[in-house]
Amino acid sequence: MKELTDSAWATTNRVDNTPPPAVLIELQRTAELLQRIRNYLTACAGIDTPMSDISGFRSIPVNRGVGSSDGSDHVRGMAADFKAHGMTPYQVCQALLPKLDEFGIGQIINELTWVHVSTKMVAKPINRIITIDRHGTRAGILQVRP
Ligand SMILES: [Zn+2]
């Protein structure tokens, strides 16, 4: 839970990022999802594959501070961004694509420098698996250069 609520931006800007009680059950589901992902990536890689740079819950002020919209799944505790040791975000997304339903991933985004996963199923299937980079938002997990 600490990994999902710590925010460097909140600390730097002295903004509270304590999740409200209503969000805790969703954060628990998100934590369980991340654990499944870590276990799976570790099994795939054959070595422990810890996650870093995790951004999970963001209060509205924190979420606005990092430039995200109020409708973000992060505000509801239903999403997390992360990096996986020794793997590019593209590689992580490729590894997870066959496991979306089994793991309960409602949305996966290759965001170039990290991976975004959400437990919330998207309304439109075209938005479930996407890449966001300087070219914009595109369907599918695409290999892109920074
Ligand atoms: Zn995200």
Side-chain angles (χ1 to χ4, degrees), residues 63-74:
N63 197 54
R64 288 177 180 167
V66 300
S68 185
S69 72
D70 289 0
S72 165
D73 290 342
H74 289 276

Side-chain angles (χ1 to χ4, degrees), residues 12-30:
T12 300
N13 294 281
R14 298 171 189 264
V15 175
D16 184 34
N17 197 46
T18 305
V23 165
L24 291 178
I25 190 152
E26 294 300 340
L27 270 176
Q28 180 67 37
R29 291 182 64 214
T30 302

Side-chain angles (χ1 to χ4, degrees), residues 45-107:
I47 57 166
D48 188 26
T49 305
M51 293 165 166
S52 63
D53 300 274
I54 296 173
S55 177
F57 172 74
R58 297 181 205 139
S59 65
I60 287 280
V62 171
N63 197 54
R64 288 177 180 167
V66 300
S68 185
S69 72
D70 289 0
S72 165
D73 290 342
H74 289 276
V75 173
R76 294 183 207 84
M78 302 173 86
D81 301 333
F82 66 93
K83 297 177 182 178
H85 182 74
M87 299 179 76
T88 66
Y90 173 81
Q91 290 171 325
V92 171
C93 290
Q94 286 296 326
L96 291 174
L97 284 181
K99 299 290 184 180
L100 299 186
D101 290 333
E102 180 183 339
F103 287 179
I105 299 172
Q107 185 182 43

